[in-house]
Amino acid sequence: MLPNSRFVKRNGLLLKKLVAIAKGKEFTDLIVINEDNKQPNGLLLIHLPEGPTYHFKLSTIRLHSEIKGAHDIGAHHPEVVLNRFSTRIGRRVGRAFAALFPHDPNFVGRRVATFHNQRDFIFFRHHRYIFRNNEKVGLQELGPRFTLKLRSIQKGTFDTETGEYEWVHKRHEMETSRRKFFL
């Protein structure tokens, strides 16, 4: 799904060491998915070499194999659509997601990766659009799909002891108004 990406099992490796290895190999970003009982529940997006680190809660995950009628993804780079990232923090998070994808989408492949922010929940969908005729366009879901909720933004790369947090979602303090949103 992410062009120019590589999957590596963590195998109990400390996150600080994993960041150091990724910096040595000149990676631009590191994504770590946390899981409990084989269920993914968190996502760390670490921008290398100097940060920041975004921590998200991960929920409602549907993999490519679980989506009815999902087709192969293909090798084309997707277009990236960022909807409703309008606040200062929202624009920053949106730029972090946009940086994961090449800035030269292949329109021939007709792939779209959409990050849609609604009430501080970020919904990710991956589609291919199909031209039915000159007037109608259909969408074909490719998968995966999931929902993210921003928990914190940390300056620099991930550091639990000395890391300085720029923004932290404080659940009971921040959710007093149903009309105020942060992204």
Side-chain angles (χ1 to χ4, degrees):
M1 182 186 73
L2 290 173
N4 305 325
S5 62
R6 186 181 319 168
F7 172 76
V8 178
K9 284 192 174 185
R10 191 169 159 190
N11 292 332
L13 193 62
L14 294 175
L15 202 52
K16 283 186 180 184
K17 287 192 175 196
L18 196 59
V19 167
I21 292 169
K23 279 183 187 179
K25 292 187 177 185
E26 297 182 357
F27 288 177
T28 56
D29 291 283
L30 179 66
I31 297 176
V32 178
I33 298 176
N34 300 322
E35 61 180 30
D36 283 331
N37 299 325
K38 303 276 184 187
Q39 289 295 327
N41 64 356
L43 184 138
L44 280 172
L45 173 58
I46 304 168
H47 186 70
L48 299 174
E50 299 299 324
T53 299
Y54 301 89
H55 177 235
F56 296 94
K57 177 184 174 188
L58 183 62
S59 60
T60 60
I61 303 153
R62 295 287 172 260
L63 299 176
H64 171 79
S65 59
E66 298 170 347
I67 295 174
K68 186 178 178 181
H71 291 273
D72 290 335
I73 293 174
H76 299 287
H77 295 169
E79 302 171 54
V80 179
V81 177
L82 300 168
N83 287 335
R84 301 177 69 180
F85 289 91
S86 55
T87 65
R88 183 182 61 84
I89 295 171
R91 285 189 296 274
R92 187 162 186 201
V93 171
R95 279 193 309 270
F97 286 132
L100 296 174
F101 295 89
H103 295 289
D104 58 340
N106 295 40
F107 297 111
V108 175
R110 303 182 319 268
R111 281 178 51 198
V112 179
T114 305
F115 293 92
H116 176 74
N117 176 29
Q118 185 172 346
R119 301 180 70 85
D120 285 345
F121 287 92
I122 302 167
F123 299 96
F124 175 80
R125 300 294 184 266
H126 189 202
H127 291 94
R128 176 180 294 134
Y129 51 91
I130 302 166
F131 295 102
R132 306 237 186 259
N133 56 35
N134 288 342
E135 297 176 6
K136 291 189 178 183
V137 176
L139 287 178
Q140 178 182 55
E141 189 162 10
L142 300 174
R145 78 173 103 149
F146 51 85
T147 304
L148 298 169
K149 174 91 171 164
L150 183 65
R151 291 293 177 212
S152 65
I153 301 174
Q154 187 179 26
K155 284 186 179 178
T157 57
F158 183 76
D159 190 357
T160 54
E161 288 115 28
T162 61
E164 180 182 347
Y165 287 89
E166 294 180 34
W167 185 85
V168 177
H169 181 263
K170 297 175 184 166
R171 187 169 170 220
H172 296 293
E173 293 176 25
M174 297 176 130
E175 291 181 357
T176 56
S177 172
R178 296 187 73 179
R179 295 178 188 251
K180 185 175 181 182
F181 302 107
F182 302 97
L183 296 179

